Amino acid sequence: QRPHINQDRKKDETMLASAALRTATAALRRTAAPTMGAVRNLNLHEYQSAKIMSDSGVNVPLGISATSVEEAVSAAAEIGDEEVVIKSQILAGGRGLGKFMDEPDGTPGMQGGVHVIQTSQVSDYASKMLGKTLVTKQSGPEGKPVNTILLAKKMSLVREMYFAILMDRATGGPMIIACSEGGTSIEDLAEKYPEKIIKVPVDLVEGLTDEKAMEVVDGLEATGDKSAAVDQIKALYDVFVSRDCTMVEVNPLAEDTEGQLIAADAKIGFDDNAVFRQKDVFSQRDHSQEDPREVDADKWDLNYIGLDGNIGCMVNGAGLAMSTMDIISLNGGKPANFLDVGGGATAEQVKHAFEIITSDPAVKAILVNIFGGIMKCDIIAQGIIEASQALDLKVPVVVRLEGTNVEIGKKLLEDSGLKLITAEDLDDAAQKAVAAIQ
């Protein structure tokens, strides 16, 4: 069997190489909200991010979160001003210009997820936000549920700027991006004020020096105490490093009437490889903002991303999974998901992978593409059998197995009595999957 296996491996590697650029984009195309996905980077709500920054010495507006109308009214009273800012908390940008979905009875949803209102209006606004769904440019058409709102002190801000730190592949370390204009998307800023955007690379070993922090402050055109501004930039950098962040974005980073820098709004992403030492951060993960299928997959150590097609995919290995998706597309089909079962999956994990795939009502066929190495074909076969028996699968299943224990796996499937469609190679499998739904 060895020459046959090597030939098949070469065929898969060739397909992967030729498809790499196309599949990288295809893997990200989806109807679900952009922030839903495999939790490579944990995102927190604004009020959670503000607390983390405040603990590191970053100036943030006074804010109190609320999950009920009563808590919102109490929070506004605690702030004690005639006016207050009320903000919907969802993991998507564009909240201010978003719109709440209409009520089931046809009552129009409120326009805008962020408002400056009288304290006496808090009860009315909170009742129109909490428990409702907010749709923004970044949330996708299905929107995001608003389970928490933030009551924040209205600040006297005279200038708005943009500030962010993220990892940069070219320099191999953190990159600070800043602009003396802010309050809108960085894409709009880059188009409107390209000459005002500065980039300051930071050496991870050396850290953020006073000189580089001052370079950022000068780029922001800060008008207040420059030394205090440097301290704020360094405090933001400390958040990025000490909390294992993939991104710290402050938009706007504002100046008040006294020239003090204030992180008026913030978005922080965290590397989930650091969960073991950032447990307090990851315990704040809001599952309600994520695709429940992806949350379920994470519990079973499966890599799953929902897409907008109708052919479910179960593959071992991320590269082969993307190549499989691409071959489906090239044969006129549309993949319904990315699902990598990994190299050490058990029959039970395979069964749960099927459950997750079939929970998508759009799935009309399933393609199983396994190239056995560490992952043995007989384990996959047993999982397919158990899933088929337990779930009473109604959609056609195309199976292509090759590699370790392939003959044992094929014999198990053959003896199972299941109506499966077998395929000899990846292209054959994709063609049969597409044909099965036509």
Side-chain angles (χ1 to χ4, degrees), residues 262-315:
I262 298 173
D265 197 352
K267 184 186 298 182
I268 305 180
F270 303 85
D271 189 337
D272 72 348
N273 288 306
V275 63
F276 69 97
R277 63 184 180 195
Q278 302 291 350
K279 293 181 179 179
D280 61 324
V281 170
F282 281 80
S283 67
Q284 301 179 62
R285 177 181 173 187
D286 186 353
H287 293 294
S288 72
Q289 301 289 307
E290 302 174 31
D291 186 330
R293 297 169 300 176
E294 295 171 10
V295 174
D296 191 28
D298 188 51
K299 292 177 182 176
W300 288 95
D301 200 24
L302 300 168
N303 297 310
Y304 175 93
I305 299 176
L307 303 173
D308 59 357
N310 53 12
I311 298 178
C313 304
M314 186 172 71
V315 191

Coordinates of all heavy atoms in Angstrom, one line a residue, residues 262-315:
I262 N -7.5 60.3 27.8 CA -8.6 59.4 28.3 C -8.9 58.4 27.3 O -9.2 58.7 26.1 CB -9.8 60.2 28.7 CG1 -9.5 61.2 29.9 CG2 -10.9 59.2 29.2 CD1 -10.6 62.1 30.2
A263 N -8.9 57.1 27.7 CA -9.3 56.0 26.8 C -10.9 56.0 26.8 O -11.5 55.3 27.6 CB -8.7 54.7 27.2
A264 N -11.5 56.7 25.9 CA -12.9 56.9 25.9 C -13.7 55.7 25.4 O -14.8 55.4 25.8 CB -13.3 58.1 25.0
D265 N -13.0 54.8 24.6 CA -13.6 53.6 24.2 C -12.5 52.6 23.8 O -11.5 53.1 23.3 CB -14.5 53.8 23.0 CG -15.5 52.6 22.7 OD1 -15.4 51.6 23.4 OD2 -16.4 52.7 21.8
A266 N -12.7 51.4 24.1 CA -11.6 50.4 23.9 C -12.0 49.1 23.5 O -13.1 48.6 23.8 CB -10.7 50.3 25.2
K267 N -11.1 48.4 22.7 CA -11.4 47.0 22.3 C -10.1 46.3 22.5 O -9.0 46.7 22.0 CB -11.8 47.0 20.8 CG -12.1 45.6 20.3 CD -12.4 45.6 18.8 CE -13.6 46.5 18.4 NZ -13.8 46.5 17.0
I268 N -10.1 45.2 23.2 CA -8.9 44.4 23.5 C -9.1 43.0 23.1 O -10.2 42.4 23.4 CB -8.6 44.4 25.0 CG1 -8.5 45.9 25.5 CG2 -7.3 43.7 25.3 CD1 -8.1 46.0 27.0
G269 N -8.1 42.4 22.4 CA -8.2 41.0 22.0 C -7.1 40.3 22.8 O -6.0 40.8 23.0
F270 N -7.3 39.0 23.2 CA -6.3 38.2 23.9 C -6.0 36.9 23.2 O -6.9 36.3 22.7 CB -6.9 37.9 25.3 CG -7.3 39.1 26.1 CD1 -8.5 39.7 25.9 CD2 -6.4 39.7 27.0 CE1 -8.9 40.9 26.7 CE2 -6.8 40.8 27.7 CZ -8.0 41.4 27.5
D271 N -4.7 36.5 23.3 CA -4.3 35.3 22.7 C -4.7 34.1 23.5 O -4.4 34.0 24.7 CB -2.8 35.3 22.5 CG -2.2 34.2 21.7 OD1 -2.9 33.1 21.6 OD2 -1.1 34.3 21.2
D272 N -5.5 33.2 22.9 CA -6.0 32.1 23.8 C -5.0 31.1 24.1 O -5.2 30.1 24.9 CB -7.3 31.5 23.1 CG -6.9 30.6 21.9 OD1 -5.8 30.7 21.4 OD2 -7.8 29.9 21.5
N273 N -3.8 31.2 23.5 CA -2.7 30.4 24.0 C -2.2 30.7 25.4 O -1.5 29.9 26.0 CB -1.5 30.5 23.0 CG -1.7 29.8 21.7 OD1 -2.1 28.7 21.6 ND2 -1.6 30.6 20.6
A274 N -2.6 31.9 25.9 CA -2.2 32.3 27.2 C -3.3 32.1 28.3 O -3.2 32.6 29.4 CB -1.9 33.8 27.2
V275 N -4.3 31.3 27.9 CA -5.4 31.1 28.9 C -4.9 30.5 30.2 O -5.5 30.9 31.3 CB -6.5 30.1 28.2 CG1 -5.9 28.7 28.0 CG2 -7.7 30.0 29.1
F276 N -3.8 29.8 30.2 CA -3.4 29.2 31.5 C -2.9 30.2 32.4 O -2.8 30.0 33.7 CB -2.3 28.1 31.2 CG -1.0 28.8 30.7 CD1 0.1 29.0 31.5 CD2 -0.8 29.1 29.3 CE1 1.3 29.6 31.1 CE2 0.4 29.6 28.8 CZ 1.4 29.9 29.7
R277 N -2.4 31.4 32.0 CA -2.0 32.4 32.9 C -2.8 33.7 32.9 O -2.5 34.7 33.5 CB -0.5 32.8 32.6 CG -0.2 33.4 31.2 CD 1.2 33.6 31.0 NE 1.6 34.2 29.7 CZ 2.8 34.2 29.2 NH1 3.8 33.6 29.9 NH2 3.0 34.7 28.0
Q278 N -3.9 33.7 32.1 CA -4.8 34.8 32.1 C -6.3 34.3 32.4 O -7.2 34.6 31.8 CB -4.8 35.5 30.8 CG -3.5 36.0 30.3 CD -3.0 37.2 31.2 OE1 -3.7 37.8 32.0 NE2 -1.7 37.6 31.0
K279 N -6.4 33.4 33.4 CA -7.6 32.7 33.7 C -8.7 33.7 34.1 O -9.9 33.5 33.8 CB -7.4 31.7 34.8 CG -6.6 30.5 34.3 CD -6.4 29.5 35.4 CE -5.6 28.3 34.9 NZ -5.4 27.2 35.9
D280 N -8.3 34.8 34.8 CA -9.3 35.8 35.2 C -9.9 36.5 34.0 O -11.1 36.9 34.0 CB -8.7 36.8 36.2 CG -7.5 37.6 35.6 OD1 -6.8 37.0 34.8 OD2 -7.4 38.8 35.9
V281 N -9.1 36.7 33.0 CA -9.6 37.3 31.7 C -10.5 36.4 31.0 O -11.6 36.7 30.6 CB -8.4 37.7 30.8 CG1 -8.9 38.2 29.5 CG2 -7.6 38.9 31.5
F282 N -10.1 35.1 30.8 CA -10.8 34.2 30.0 C -12.1 33.7 30.7 O -13.0 33.2 30.0 CB -10.0 33.0 29.6 CG -9.0 33.3 28.4 CD1 -7.9 34.0 28.6 CD2 -9.4 33.0 27.1 CE1 -7.0 34.4 27.6 CE2 -8.5 33.3 26.1 CZ -7.4 34.0 26.3
S283 N -12.2 33.9 32.0 CA -13.4 33.6 32.7 C -14.5 34.5 32.3 O -15.7 34.3 32.6 CB -13.2 33.6 34.2 OG -12.9 34.9 34.7
Q284 N -14.2 35.7 31.7 CA -15.2 36.7 31.3 C -15.7 36.5 29.9 O -16.5 37.3 29.4 CB -14.5 38.1 31.4 CG -14.0 38.4 32.8 CD -13.4 39.8 32.9 OE1 -14.0 40.8 32.6 NE2 -12.1 39.9 33.2
R285 N -15.3 35.4 29.3 CA -15.7 35.2 27.9 C -17.3 35.1 27.8 O -17.9 34.5 28.6 CB -15.2 33.8 27.4 CG -15.6 33.4 26.0 CD -15.0 32.1 25.7 NE -15.5 31.5 24.4 CZ -15.2 30.3 24.0 NH1 -14.4 29.5 24.7 NH2 -15.8 29.9 22.8
D286 N -17.9 35.8 26.9 CA -19.3 35.9 26.7 C -19.7 35.0 25.6 O -19.7 35.3 24.4 CB -19.7 37.3 26.4 CG -21.2 37.5 26.4 OD1 -22.0 36.5 26.5 OD2 -21.7 38.7 26.3
H287 N -20.2 33.8 26.0 CA -20.6 32.8 25.0 C -21.8 33.3 24.2 O -22.1 32.8 23.0 CB -20.9 31.5 25.6 CG -19.7 30.8 26.2 ND1 -18.7 30.4 25.5 CD2 -19.4 30.6 27.5 CE1 -17.7 29.8 26.3 NE2 -18.1 29.9 27.5
S288 N -22.6 34.2 24.7 CA -23.8 34.6 24.0 C -23.5 35.4 22.8 O -24.4 35.5 21.9 CB -24.7 35.5 24.9 OG -24.1 36.7 25.1
Q289 N -22.3 35.8 22.6 CA -21.9 36.6 21.5 C -21.3 35.7 20.4 O -20.8 36.2 19.3 CB -20.9 37.7 21.9 CG -21.4 38.7 22.9 CD -22.4 39.6 22.4 OE1 -22.2 40.3 21.4 NE2 -23.6 39.7 23.0
E290 N -21.2 34.4 20.6 CA -20.5 33.5 19.7 C -21.5 32.5 19.1 O -22.6 32.3 19.6 CB -19.4 32.7 20.4 CG -18.4 33.6 21.1 CD -17.4 32.8 21.9 OE1 -17.1 31.7 21.6 OE2 -16.9 33.4 22.9
D291 N -21.1 31.9 18.0 CA -21.9 30.9 17.4 C -22.0 29.7 18.3 O -20.9 29.2 18.7 CB -21.3 30.5 16.0 CG -22.1 29.5 15.2 OD1 -22.8 28.7 15.8 OD2 -22.0 29.6 14.0
P292 N -23.2 29.3 18.7 CA -23.2 28.1 19.7 C -22.6 26.9 19.2 O -22.1 26.0 20.0 CB -24.7 28.0 19.9 CG -25.4 28.7 18.8 CD -24.5 29.8 18.4
R293 N -22.6 26.7 17.9 CA -21.9 25.5 17.3 C -20.4 25.5 17.6 O -19.8 24.5 17.9 CB -22.2 25.4 15.8 CG -23.6 25.2 15.4 CD -23.8 25.4 13.9 NE -23.4 26.7 13.5 CZ -23.5 27.1 12.2 NH1 -23.8 26.3 11.3 NH2 -23.1 28.3 11.9
E294 N -19.8 26.7 17.5 CA -18.4 26.9 17.7 C -18.1 26.8 19.2 O -17.0 26.3 19.5 CB -17.9 28.2 17.1 CG -18.1 28.2 15.6 CD -17.9 29.6 14.9 OE1 -17.4 30.5 15.6 OE2 -18.2 29.7 13.7
V295 N -19.0 27.2 20.0 CA -18.8 27.0 21.5 C -18.8 25.5 21.8 O -17.9 25.0 22.6 CB -19.9 27.8 22.3 CG1 -19.7 27.4 23.7 CG2 -19.8 29.3 22.0
D296 N -19.7 24.8 21.2 CA -19.8 23.4 21.4 C -18.6 22.7 20.9 O -18.0 21.7 21.6 CB -21.1 22.8 20.8 CG -21.4 21.4 21.2 OD1 -21.0 21.0 22.3 OD2 -22.0 20.7 20.4
A297 N -18.1 23.0 19.7 CA -16.9 22.4 19.2 C -15.7 22.6 20.1 O -14.9 21.7 20.2 CB -16.7 23.0 17.8
D298 N -15.6 23.8 20.6 CA -14.5 24.1 21.5 C -14.5 23.2 22.7 O -13.4 22.8 23.2 CB -14.6 25.6 22.0 CG -13.3 26.0 22.7 OD1 -12.2 25.8 22.2 OD2 -13.5 26.6 23.8
K299 N -15.6 22.8 23.2 CA -15.7 21.9 24.4 C -15.2 20.6 24.1 O -14.7 19.9 24.9 CB -17.2 21.8 24.8 CG -17.8 23.1 25.4 CD -19.2 22.9 25.8 CE -19.9 24.1 26.3 NZ -21.3 24.0 26.6
W300 N -15.3 20.2 22.8 CA -14.8 18.8 22.3 C -13.5 18.9 21.6 O -13.0 17.9 21.0 CB -15.9 18.2 21.4 CG -17.1 17.8 22.2 CD1 -18.2 18.5 22.4 CD2 -17.2 16.5 22.9 NE1 -19.1 17.8 23.2 CE2 -18.5 16.6 23.5 CE3 -16.4 15.4 23.1 CZ2 -19.0 15.5 24.3 CZ3 -16.9 14.4 23.9 CH2 -18.1 14.4 24.5
D301 N -12.8 20.1 21.8 CA -11.5 20.2 21.2 C -11.5 20.0 19.7 O -10.6 19.4 19.1 CB -10.5 19.3 21.8 CG -9.0 19.7 21.6 OD1 -8.8 21.0 21.4 OD2 -8.1 18.9 21.7
L302 N -12.5 20.5 19.0 CA -12.7 20.5 17.6 C -12.5 21.9 17.0 O -13.0 22.9 17.7 CB -14.0 19.9 17.2 CG -14.3 18.5 17.7 CD1 -15.8 18.2 17.4 CD2 -13.5 17.5 16.9
N303 N -11.9 22.0 15.9 CA -11.7 23.4 15.3 C -12.8 23.5 14.2 O -12.8 22.9 13.2 CB -10.4 23.5 14.6 CG -9.2 23.4 15.6 OD1 -9.3 24.1 16.7 ND2 -8.3 22.5 15.4
Y304 N -13.8 24.4 14.6 CA -15.0 24.5 13.7 C -15.3 26.0 13.4 O -15.2 26.8 14.3 CB -16.2 23.9 14.4 CG -17.5 24.1 13.6 CD1 -18.0 23.1 12.7 CD2 -18.3 25.2 13.8 CE1 -19.2 23.3 12.1 CE2 -19.5 25.4 13.2 CZ -19.9 24.5 12.3 OH -21.1 24.6 11.6
I305 N -15.6 26.3 12.2 CA -16.1 27.6 11.8 C -17.2 27.5 10.9 O -17.1 26.8 9.8 CB -14.9 28.4 11.1 CG1 -13.7 28.6 12.0 CG2 -15.5 29.8 10.7 CD1 -12.6 29.3 11.3
G306 N -18.4 28.0 11.2 CA -19.5 28.0 10.4 C -19.4 28.8 9.1 O -19.0 30.0 9.2
L307 N -19.8 28.3 8.0 CA -19.8 29.1 6.7 C -21.2 29.1 6.2 O -22.2 28.8 6.9 CB -18.8 28.4 5.7 CG -17.4 28.3 6.2 CD1 -16.5 27.4 5.2 CD2 -16.7 29.6 6.4
D308 N -21.3 29.6 4.9 CA -22.7 29.8 4.4 C -23.1 28.8 3.3 O -24.0 29.1 2.5 CB -22.8 31.2 3.9 CG -21.8 31.5 2.8 OD1 -21.0 30.7 2.5 OD2 -21.8 32.7 2.2
G309 N -22.4 27.7 3.2 CA -22.7 26.7 2.2 C -23.7 25.6 2.6 O -24.3 25.7 3.7
N310 N -23.7 24.5 1.8 CA -24.6 23.4 2.1 C -24.0 22.0 2.1 O -24.7 21.0 2.3 CB -25.8 23.4 1.2 CG -25.4 23.4 -0.3 OD1 -24.2 23.2 -0.6 ND2 -26.4 23.7 -1.2
I311 N -22.7 22.0 2.0 CA -21.9 20.7 2.1 C -21.1 20.8 3.3 O -20.1 21.5 3.4 CB -21.1 20.5 0.9 CG1 -21.9 20.4 -0.4 CG2 -20.3 19.2 1.0 CD1 -21.2 20.2 -1.7
G312 N -21.5 20.0 4.3 CA -20.7 19.9 5.6 C -19.4 19.2 5.4 O -19.3 18.2 4.6
C313 N -18.3 19.6 6.0 CA -17.0 19.0 5.9 C -16.5 18.5 7.2 O -16.6 19.2 8.2 CB -16.0 20.0 5.3 SG -16.6 20.8 3.7
M314 N -15.9 17.3 7.2 CA -15.1 16.8 8.4 C -13.8 16.3 7.9 O -13.8 15.3 7.1 CB -15.9 15.8 9.1 CG -15.2 15.4 10.4 SD -16.2 14.2 11.4 CE -16.1 12.8 10.4
V315 N -12.7 17.0 8.3 CA -11.4 16.7 7.7 C -10.4 16.6 8.9 O -10.7 17.2 10.0 CB -11.0 17.7 6.7 CG1 -9.8 17.3 5.9 CG2 -12.1 18.0 5.7

